[in-house]
Amino acid sequence: MIIQSLCRYYDILAEDERAKIARFGYGPVDVSFALVISDDGEISYIVDLRSDNKKPRPRTEVVPLHMGRAGTQPPAYFLCDKAKYFFGVEKKKKGAISAADDNQEVIILEKGEKEDLLITKHSRDCFEDFKRLHRKILEDVDDPCVKRFLKFLDRWKPESFLDNTKLLEYKDEILNDSNLVIGCGGIYLHENDAVRAAWEKHLSQGIEKKQTSAQCLVSGRSASVARLHNKVVGVAGTHSSGAPLVAFNDDSFCSYGKKQGLNAPVSELAMFKYTTALNYLLARPEYHMRIADTTVVFWAETSGTACEDLALLFFDPREEADEDSEAESSGPARIQDWKRIELISDILDKVRRGQKVHTEDIGADPEANFYILGLSPNNARLAVRFWHVDTFGNFIARAARHHLDMEIVRGDYDPRYVSMYRLLRETVAPSSDSKAASPLLGGLVMRSILNGGPYPVQMYSAILNRAKVDQPINSIRAGFIKAYLLRLARAGLTNLREDMISVSLNEENQNVPYRLGRLFAVLEKVQADTNREMKSTITSKYFSSASTTPAVVFPVLLKLAQHHIAKSDWGFKTVQAIEETLEGVDEFPAYLSLEEQGMFMLGYYHQRKALYTKKEGKEDLQVRDHE
């Protein structure tokens, strides 16, 4: 299903000239330099293709396909490769060569502090393989640029690397695993029509000769089966060269005597389509995001990026108050941020009222098929964390419902809409060196959002634990507690009713844990009013135990409160507030369950916001309750 969807998306991209998707036999690769060869087979000059940033980045170019390398002698690539294959030299750490290349001819071209520039048997073999491959493919091509390049390969000697002044200018960068291409006549040699024809002929002959035909699981037709699948680049936690989505690299994964890709027969064409489409999505930030250790990729079966842009906005709504933004918004950027946030607000209002989202509301077709794929590293391949298929309209409704459920009364500087990253970060202690959340939580929360079901209890427990330790409770944690309880009530999995779980303070709520949370906030305020310089407060001492075992803690707190009330000029109002809050509470419970602890914290947060919010600005700062 995943591969079929990616193959269909490849076909959509292939028809869109703006996408510039690679055709069969080609793929995107990061390239740093282009070598220009003179008529006599010498390097005329070198073109630096990297960006002009402080930290130069390679340029992504569509080159003849890199099939992936394995074994002790990895094969060469056609017209785009690293220095070891182009020149027959390599860098190695000091001391590494004695064990790896014992009793072999090694020439040290240059010694460095940490690494040496060497010519080894392995590097010579790589160059010879590179030369042999190009001789085989380009021998019959009658083109002046091809003849220059072949003359360069015939004349080149690895020992002359340091004698070339052009190479010395970029020596360190070229030797640092940079990919090189050949430039000729204002284009790259691999873009030459005659060279392309020779490469595609070689590719088809190789497939017919080496591969076994079988029924493709994707197309259902008999075709040459891909023995190895191309690597997918860009998934967080994987090697920079990528990792395959489908791989059989151990005998225990194989069955019926079949080897590698024959265990799950996918044709060469289908394999190319799905890997190319997935690499295309991962190379563009508007199509993916990271949640914990999972890279989430999403796409719609439409041309353009309207659906993907809106999906990313719901996953990661950026506001001016968002501290995770790379730079402060100002001018046109600030106006654009507010427009994006207002777009979310308009969609939420429609979903809140139960109205259907139309094309004019979201700027995209709500009936388009929409896909969300969660990928994470797993040994030598990729693991699928989750896979979701729906219409784009349904996805927007589910994402909007998540933000509606998270609505909570907030302060001036609290985010109106919380990104997945910020939500998951609330499970991590602020003092922790690592800010990464548990890898499991991201996938569990995503499933709840996409399916519209209850949130995972693991996430709820983690939020409760942090709220007990990191006082006072913030709007993000309070919002998730409220959302968790609301979905439990909606699903009928708790005795709580939906009307008991509100956005802001509900003084009519008779739920005992909720009233005890409110009471704790009142007692905290009494203490703060009488002694503002107190370092150790009842919150730091008793909040955790009060939310778990009220019967043990509250008698002590009420007794302590009498001392503060006696010192206060408004003690009678405090007594009145305590009496009103305790109305309907016949006794303090001995123990509160997880759901009751959530209600306690919700009551505490609501009451605290009400106490510290100026009455004249209250309506402006609070968020409207659910209708």
Side-chain angles (χ1 to χ4, degrees), residues 258-325:
K258 297 179 179 179
K259 298 293 184 182
Q260 296 177 323
L262 291 175
N263 288 275
V266 175
S267 69
E268 285 280 353
L269 180 59
M271 180 276 293
F272 171 80
K273 283 185 175 182
Y274 94 79
T275 54
T276 303
L278 192 51
N279 279 319
Y280 176 89
L281 295 170
L282 287 166
R284 290 157 177 79
E286 64 267 26
Y287 291 103
H288 70 275
M289 64 175 294
R290 184 174 177 180
I291 299 176
D293 73 330
T294 302
T295 300
V296 181
V297 189
F298 38 87
W299 69 95
E301 286 187 356
T302 58
S303 58
T305 62
C307 292
E308 292 81 1
D309 290 342
L310 189 55
L312 185 60
L313 178 61
F314 270 89
F315 280 132
D316 189 16
R318 294 287 187 179
E319 296 191 56
E320 188 181 15
D322 191 343
E323 65 184 6
D324 299 317
S325 298

Side-chain angles (χ1 to χ4, degrees), residues 206-215 222-227 259 261-262 265-268:
I207 292 174
E208 292 175 1
K209 181 179 178 180
K210 296 180 180 179
Q211 303 302 333
T212 303
S213 293
Q215 185 180 26
S222 179
S224 298
V225 175
R227 185 176 63 88
K259 298 293 184 182
L262 291 175
V266 175
S267 69
E268 285 280 353

Side-chain angles (χ1 to χ4, degrees), residues 289 298 307-318 340-349 351 357 361-362 392 395-404 417-421 446 449:
M289 64 175 294
F298 38 87
C307 292
E308 292 81 1
D309 290 342
L310 189 55
L312 185 60
L313 178 61
F314 270 89
F315 280 132
D316 189 16
R318 294 287 187 179
R340 286 158 59 89
I341 296 304
E342 289 305 313
L343 175 60
I344 294 182
S345 299
D346 293 341
I347 295 173
L348 292 189
D349 286 339
V351 175
V357 178
D361 299 320
I362 58 178
F392 185 65
F395 161 74
I396 288 297
R398 296 273 173 82
R401 176 50 58 188
H402 162 70
H403 287 293
L404 287 173
Y417 307 114
V418 182
S419 67
M420 285 292 295
Y421 170 76
M446 276 297 296
I449 294 173

